[in-house]
């Protein structure tokens, strides 16, 4: 794993002040800086933000629907980046239920795969156009209990990269591990993030009654 793969951009107040972390995972061809732009539309004033950077702007080389072996060792390296980041945050005294993860496209797939392999009570997950990784889903890889973790998962119908069928499979597995999933399929939507998706993500990041977390 090279130094670029390990690069993480941090924004916001220190964890010792916020007590909450949001990990943002960029898509193929994008960057940590670009996914941090998404945070400008989210209620993150009381979060510490972390955005890891993939080597050569790509977490793994082929489609997330390709046989998993074709995306190795890049996929395992990418999962290790997220795992190392989560462990670093929990090592600073932040419990997993105060850690939120969000990603778009390839970053959404990586977010879904990591969280479902390590199911526990997270603060929330926002999977913007993504699903679990592999030509065929091997359910034996997914362990743990989400304990009601709120999850938003979306895609377009059709989407050039993420078929509705894979989103449906992902929802079934995550719900089976105890997640509380909101699924949104948008007919004819281009490969992007809509304002409605942002609004739904805001409800996860700043649930009703959590006034101090809403950016004025």
């Amino acid at each position: 794993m090279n130094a670029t793969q390990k690069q993480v951009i941090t924004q916001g107040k220190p964890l010792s002040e916020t007590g909450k972390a949001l990990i943002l995972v960029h898509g193929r061809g994008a960057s940590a800086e670009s996914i941090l732009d998404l945070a400008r539309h989210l209620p993150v004033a009381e979060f510490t933000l972390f955005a890891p950077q993939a080597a050569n702007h790509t977490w793994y080389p082929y489609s997330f629907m390709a046989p998993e072996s074709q995306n190795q060792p890049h996929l395992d390296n990418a999962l290790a980046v997220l795992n190392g980041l989560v462990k670093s945050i929990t090592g600073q005294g932040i419990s997993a239920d105060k850690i939120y993860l969000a990603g778009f496209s390839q970053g959404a797939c990586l977010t879904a795969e990591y969280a479902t392999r390590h199911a526990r009570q997270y603060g929330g997950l926002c999977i913007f156009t993504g699903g679990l990784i592999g030509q065929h889903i091997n359910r034996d890889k997914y362990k743990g209990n989400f304990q009601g973790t709120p999850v938003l998962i979306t895609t377009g119908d059709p989407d050039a990269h993420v078929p509705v069928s894979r989103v449906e499979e992902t929802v079934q597995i995550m719900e089976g591990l105890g997640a509380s999933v909101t699924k949104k399929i948008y007919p004819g939507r281009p490969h992007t993030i809509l304002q409605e998706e942002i609004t739904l993500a805001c409800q996860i990041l700043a649930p009703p009654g959590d006034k101090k977390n809403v950016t004025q």
Side-chain angles (χ1 to χ4, degrees):
M1 195 182 304
N2 63 34
T4 305
Q5 272 184 304
K6 295 180 181 179
Q7 179 185 349
V8 178
I9 297 177
T10 304
Q11 284 188 1
K13 301 174 185 176
L15 269 176
S16 58
E17 292 184 28
T18 65
K20 288 191 291 191
L22 172 60
I23 299 171
L24 293 157
V25 189
H26 70 77
R28 186 189 301 272
S31 66
E33 290 91 347
S34 67
I35 195 70
L36 281 167
D37 285 342
L38 175 64
R40 296 187 295 109
H41 306 283
L42 299 171
V44 295
E46 298 300 324
F47 282 82
T48 306
L49 307 180
F50 299 87
Q53 174 65 54
N56 301 315
H57 304 278
T58 301
W59 294 110
Y60 44 85
Y62 298 105
S63 165
F64 86 114
M65 298 286 288
E68 187 177 318
S69 60
Q70 291 185 9
N71 279 317
Q72 296 296 7
H74 310 279
L75 176 58
D76 281 350
N77 289 341
L79 291 167
V81 169
L82 288 190
N83 195 45
L85 183 50
V86 169
K87 286 186 173 181
S88 173
I89 293 167
T90 57
Q92 296 176 64
I94 307 301
S95 58
D97 65 339
K98 300 297 183 184
I99 299 175
Y100 297 69
L101 296 98
F104 172 64
S105 192
Q106 190 183 61
C109 297
L110 188 62
T111 296
E113 186 72 16
Y114 171 76
T116 311
R117 289 193 188 196
H118 303 272
R120 58 184 127 175
Q121 186 179 9
Y122 297 98
L125 308 173
C126 297
I127 301 166
F128 296 113
T129 310
L132 295 173
I133 295 172
Q135 183 177 26
H136 305 289
I137 291 180
N138 176 5
R139 294 176 183 245
D140 291 339
K141 293 186 298 186
Y142 307 116
K143 309 288 185 184
N145 190 328
F146 280 116
Q147 300 179 56
T149 297
V151 176
L152 171 66
I153 183 169
T154 67
T155 196
D157 185 13
D159 182 88
H161 305 285
V162 181
V164 172
S165 59
R166 179 51 56 92
V167 170
E168 301 280 9
E169 288 180 280
T170 301
V171 169
Q172 182 185 46
I173 289 170
M174 296 184 88
E175 286 183 337
L177 294 174
S180 177
V181 181
T182 299
K183 176 190 70 180
K184 291 291 181 179
I185 309 297
Y186 297 98
R189 189 209 67 182
H191 193 69
T192 188
I193 300 175
L194 301 177
Q195 180 56 50
E196 180 184 320
E197 295 170 79
I198 296 292
T199 300
L200 291 168
C202 288
Q203 294 173 9
I204 289 177
L205 292 164
D210 190 3
K211 300 295 185 185
K212 73 171 186 175
N213 195 38
V214 178
T215 304
Q216 300 299 321

